[in-house]
């Protein structure tokens, strides 16, 4: 069965650079979520989209933005990267009243 | 947001032993999931269990929604069970709130 696909798997950026992470949800899932997991931490909710419209917002910095496109894939854009942005970034998708499925994550390292 | 507490925070087991992990949450929920995060960082969905009991092989889970807790049972543990187990809860179509996890180490 198709899963949630994230790319790239690993990304190394320098401070003040920009990064774009991509997520392809499971077909027919209506909601996409982005989470950030710092070292030794639990995943923290950033932002979600329901049917391509932003539906909820968590602790997402102003330097970050996200959108969901007409083909349902989503992108998380991060600008002016800081060392503290180094983390695992997960995308998940779900169908209303069903569980989440997470992608394998993108490991971002800011140097 | 909803508060989620997991216990114990750390657990070391001998291979073949059984264990019970607990998740308490502070509000009514209609979504509760248990995840296993393996040493490579992947979050694997174990159970979607907002209420009731489910079993999948050596793993089973029970959620008592009226008392706001859930239990994950691991029987005959194997070294591949090592990792962090997260409980996550949510309401409606809203985002999931994660607990701080239980780090399980199974030694041969």
């Amino acid at each position: 069965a198709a899963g949630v696909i994230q790319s790239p798997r690993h990304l190394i950026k320098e401070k003040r650079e920009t990064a774009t992470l991509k997520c392809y949800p499971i077909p027919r899932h209506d909601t996409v979520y982005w989470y950030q997991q710092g070292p030794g931490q639990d995943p923290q909710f950033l932002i979600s989209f329901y049917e391509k419209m932003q539906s909820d917002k968590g602790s997402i910095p102003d330097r970050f933005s996200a959108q969901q496109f007409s083909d349902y894939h989503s992108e998380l854009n991060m600008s002016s990267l800081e060392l503290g942005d180094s983390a695992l970034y997960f995308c998940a998708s779900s169908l209303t009243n069903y569980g989440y499925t997470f992608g394998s994550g993108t490991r971002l390292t800011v140097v | 947001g909803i508060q989620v507490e997991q216990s114990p925070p750390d657990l070391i087991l001998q291979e073949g032993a059984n264990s019970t992990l607990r998740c308490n949450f502070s509000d009514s929920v209609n979504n509760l999931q248990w995840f296993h995060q393996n040493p490579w960082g992947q979050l694997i969905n174990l159970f979607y269990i907002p209420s009731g009991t489910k079993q999948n092989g050596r793993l089973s889970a029970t959620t008592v929604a009226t008392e706001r807790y859930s239990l994950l049972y691991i029987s005959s543990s194997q070294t591949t069970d090592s990792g962090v187990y997260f409980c996550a809860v949510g309401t409606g179509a809203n985002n999931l709130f994660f607990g701080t996890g239980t780090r399980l180490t199974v030694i041969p």
Side-chain angles (χ1 to χ4, degrees):
Chain A
V4 177
I5 307 297
Q6 289 188 246
S7 67
R9 293 294 304 274
H10 302 272
L11 191 57
I12 300 175
K13 290 284 186 178
E14 295 188 354
K15 282 192 303 184
R16 294 180 289 278
E17 284 193 317
T18 296
T20 297
L21 309 185
K22 295 187 178 182
C23 170
Y24 296 84
I26 292 174
R28 293 183 293 282
H29 276 196
D30 54 21
T31 309
V32 169
Y33 311 83
W34 285 97
Y35 281 78
Q36 178 192 57
Q37 186 179 25
Q41 304 294 314
D42 54 282
Q44 295 293 314
F45 171 68
L46 293 177
I47 195 166
S48 63
F49 295 87
Y50 173 74
E51 288 291 344
K52 295 171 281 185
M53 299 290 290
Q54 183 182 309
S55 56
D56 201 1
K57 208 169 181 180
S59 48
I60 183 169
D62 292 340
R63 300 177 290 108
F64 293 9
S65 65
Q67 59 184 128
Q68 188 174 21
F69 295 86
S70 57
D71 65 351
Y72 286 85
H73 94 273
S74 179
E75 295 184 2
L76 178 65
N77 298 293
M78 298 175 284
S79 62
S80 303
L81 286 169
E82 303 173 356
L83 295 179
D85 296 329
S86 296
L88 258 175
Y89 289 84
F90 288 102
C91 173
S93 71
S94 72
L95 195 56
T96 302
N97 296 326
Y98 288 85
Y100 285 34
T101 301
F102 279 81
S104 297
T106 294
R107 188 175 296 277
L108 172 67
T109 303
V110 181
V111 297
Chain B
I2 303 172
Q3 303 302 308
V4 185
E5 294 181 351
Q6 290 187 243
S7 60
D10 295 279
L11 186 58
I12 300 175
L13 295 176
Q14 198 78 41
E15 198 169 27
N18 303 328
S19 63
T20 301
L21 281 57
R22 187 176 179 102
C23 171
N24 293 329
F25 44 96
S26 62
D27 208 344
S28 299
V29 300
N30 58 12
N31 184 357
L32 189 149
Q33 291 183 250
W34 283 96
F35 294 94
H36 174 218
Q37 188 164 39
N38 63 25
W40 296 271
Q42 291 181 299
L43 273 171
I44 310 299
N45 179 41
L46 299 176
F47 294 103
Y48 170 72
I49 187 166
S51 64
T53 297
K54 291 185 178 179
Q55 180 160 7
N56 184 3
R58 296 182 295 104
L59 302 182
S60 63
T62 294
T63 297
V64 183
T66 52
E67 298 186 23
R68 299 182 184 171
Y69 74 89
S70 183
L71 302 173
L72 177 69
Y73 306 96
I74 304 174
S75 64
S76 304
S77 58
Q78 301 176 357
T79 55
T80 51
D81 294 333
S82 296
V84 181
Y85 289 79
F86 286 106
C87 169
V89 303
T91 59
N94 293 333
N95 54 286
L96 287 178
F97 293 94
F98 279 75
T100 52
T102 292
R103 181 173 298 277
L104 175 64
T105 303
V106 181
I107 54 178

